[in-house]
Amino acid sequence: MRFSIAVLPGDGIGKEIMEAGVSVLKAAEEIVSGFELDFAHFDAGAEHHKRTGTALPEATFEACRSSDAIYLGAIGLPDVREFPGGPEVSGQVMFKLRFDLDLFAGVRPIKLYKGIDSPLRDMENIDFVVLRENIEGLFASYGGGTLVSDEVATDTMVITRKGTEKIVDMGFQLALKRGGRLLDQKRVVTCTDKSNVFRSMAFFNKVFHDVADRYEGQVERDHVLIDAMTLLMVQQPQNYDIIVTENQFGDIISDLAAALVGGMGMAPSGDIGHNHAMFQPAHGSAPTIAGKGIANPLATILSGSMMLDWLSDQHSCPEAKKAGELIEQAVARTVKRGVKTVDIGGTSTTAEVAENIIAQMKAHAQLL
Ligand SMILES: NC(=O)c1ccc[n+]([C@@H]2O[C@H](COP(=O)([O-])OP(=O)(O)OC[C@H]3O[C@@H](n4cnc5c(N)ncnc54)[C@H](O)[C@@H]3O)[C@@H](O)[C@H]2O)c1
């Protein structure tokens, strides 16, 4: 089976981490027979905007739409904005892809690998997923909002039944695929919101329960207010399996969750819809370390592994799933051996980490 992958390296460390990510995927394709990946690279992002006046050329968007999956590095530079004092141009790429391709689910696995120190004392295992609604909530206001007389500004939270049902249902489906929360292996989807205050959030919560009813007896449901969640996620991360939430809350708590497992360099993600999907590290372009060859490529490489898993499910291609598992196992072995970039306590370069992962994949291919 042949898959076309649109590669958007983007800005800052984007090029370095994507080079690492693509090299690992190419190795996986060589080691595991039964599928092929056709990579096509495209320029998009803040640098591209500076050069051409556009962040995402229409032809690039069309190539993304027609590819089997999108693999993205990082988009945005803090000083490249739509107008002075306005938002960054990065939204023209990220939100166009998410909104127009209906990538409604931000899937953010949070997993602690052996060899990575969590800032949480004595914490050996962490393994849960933050599921962020990706195209509604407060981000539905992107490109809108009001500013009146330089005195008052507003943005509006948008919650729809259809959008909420889609993300919550994906949460329950994901729970069925996983082995449950670490605490007691129970499959649980936890809704986190601010339903004690806002009408929109109370509605999100109501729709959550409507969907949860369909999974009665298969997956349990739980509810935690978002402010309490920032506390409980840190105190008892093993209580969680899938945490489903509104867009802006998901944006914030997924970074907090990433901090528990080694930081942004350890945070992969998938922006997933029913027909399209994009895979990217959850971090940004880290401009202060760009070009130094020290960026952590693991979030990008693990996002590549997620991409193979999604392609496998989407196209009934078990070989792609195998290749994704091979990559994840090689990542685990590599960090356990101490081959790590400086952000997670090592001294290796971006390229050395990728080379080591490929060596581990070759050495353990027979175990598949
Ligand atoms: N999805 C995306 O492409 C995305 C996401 C977030 C931010 N951004 C953009 O990125 C730019 C910088 O944003 P920011 O500084 O808030 O967030 P950032 O994620 O780029 O950086 C936050 C911190 O984490 C570190 N970091 C991030 N990724 C790392 C990696 N792979 N290895 C080692 N350290 C890493 C950075 O050095 C920095 O200290 C902004 O223009 C922002 O809009 C893009």
Side-chain angles (χ1 to χ4, degrees):
M1 205 167 275
R2 221 180 170 98
F3 302 118
S4 57
I5 312 295
V7 179
L8 273 56
D11 299 305
I13 59 170
K15 290 174 188 63
E16 301 153 58
I17 54 175
M18 283 313 270
E19 213 171 292
V22 169
S23 71
V24 168
L25 284 168
K26 282 187 173 163
E29 173 200 26
E30 269 169 35
I31 295 168
V32 183
S33 53
F35 73 99
E36 282 169 72
L37 301 172
D38 289 332
F39 295 99
H41 284 63
F42 300 95
D43 214 4
E47 285 293 352
H48 190 75
H49 188 277
K50 271 207 270 191
R51 280 198 311 277
T52 66
T54 169
L56 181 65
E58 197 52 38
T60 301
F61 173 73
E62 281 309 322
C64 289
R65 190 208 292 274
S66 59
S67 66
D68 290 307
I70 305 161
Y71 195 34
L72 184 143
I75 299 287
L77 292 171
D79 59 341
V80 185
R81 296 186 176 261
E82 292 181 6
F83 50 87
E88 286 186 29
V89 299
S90 52
Q92 295 172 12
V93 180
M94 204 57 70
F95 302 132
K96 168 98 177 150
L97 290 168
R98 282 183 185 153
F99 293 0
D100 289 17
L101 299 182
D102 197 21
L103 308 179
F104 63 87
V107 181
R108 293 161 175 221
I110 302 296
K111 185 167 172 180
L112 182 63
Y113 287 89
K114 300 265 178 275
I116 306 275
D117 290 331
S118 169
L120 301 183
R121 195 159 24 96
D122 300 334
M123 191 56 69
E124 285 192 4
N125 290 317
I126 297 176
D127 190 350
F128 63 92
V129 176
V130 174
L131 189 58
R132 165 187 177 185
E133 200 295 318
N134 237 0
I135 54 181
E136 301 190 342
L138 199 51
F139 282 67
S141 200
Y142 173 73
T146 62
L147 173 60
V148 182
S149 307
D150 210 26
E151 291 291 337
V152 180
T154 65
D155 279 300
T156 308
M157 171 87 84
V158 178
I159 302 292
T160 69
R161 172 171 288 279
K162 192 173 161 200
T164 308
E165 279 179 352
K166 275 160 70 175
I167 192 69
V168 174
D169 190 68
M170 179 169 281
F172 280 87
Q173 288 294 327
L174 254 179
L176 288 172
K177 265 184 87 176
R178 285 167 49 87
R181 64 183 177 187
L182 287 174
L183 180 72
D184 52 12
Q185 283 71 57
K186 270 189 191 158
R187 295 193 159 101
V188 189
V189 179
T190 304
C191 176
T192 188
D193 55 46
K194 196 72 184 168
S195 51
N196 55 335
V197 176
F198 298 111
R199 180 169 278 191
S200 58
M201 290 282 87
F203 182 60
F204 186 90
N205 186 271
K206 177 182 183 297
V207 177
F208 167 77
H209 284 290
D210 291 347
V211 176
D213 287 345
R214 294 189 223 138
Y215 291 88
E216 200 65 55
Q218 296 181 80
V219 181
E220 293 195 13
R221 73 185 83 177
D222 192 11
H223 174 251
V224 177
L225 291 172
I226 185 70
D227 39 345
M229 179 55 91
T230 61
L231 173 95
L232 295 174
M233 185 194 279
V234 174
Q235 286 184 329
Q236 300 157 352
Q238 300 190 333
N239 270 354
Y240 300 104
D241 179 11
I242 310 287
I243 297 172
V244 65
T245 191
E246 178 273 334
N247 205 336
Q248 170 76 346
F249 290 154
D251 188 32
I252 296 167
I253 64 166
S254 55
D255 276 26
L256 171 66
L260 306 182
V261 297
M264 296 314 293
M266 298 305 299
S269 84
D271 295 282
I272 297 178
H274 288 143
N275 301 311
H276 300 276
M278 169 164 78
F279 297 86
Q280 56 166 324
H283 59 71
S285 62
T288 56
I289 59 165
K292 296 183 178 166
I294 58 166
N296 186 345
L298 294 180
T300 310
I301 290 168
L302 289 168
S303 302
S305 163
M306 288 175 73
M307 178 166 77
L308 292 179
D309 185 65
W310 182 80
L311 285 168
S312 164
D313 286 346
Q314 203 74 358
H315 300 275
S316 305
C317 175
E319 294 84 3
K321 193 176 291 286
K322 266 193 198 169
E325 283 166 7
L326 182 67
I327 292 174
E328 212 229 331
Q329 289 161 11
V331 166
R333 287 196 183 91
T334 297
V335 290
K336 200 169 171 192
R337 294 175 75 234
V339 181
K340 302 185 286 191
T341 44
V342 67
D343 58 304
I344 48 172
T347 54
S348 304
T349 64
T350 311
E352 283 164 356
V353 171
E355 282 156 19
N356 215 276
I357 288 169
I358 292 170
Q360 292 295 326
M361 285 160 62
K362 287 182 177 157
H364 293 91
Q366 78 287 355
L367 298 179
L368 277 179

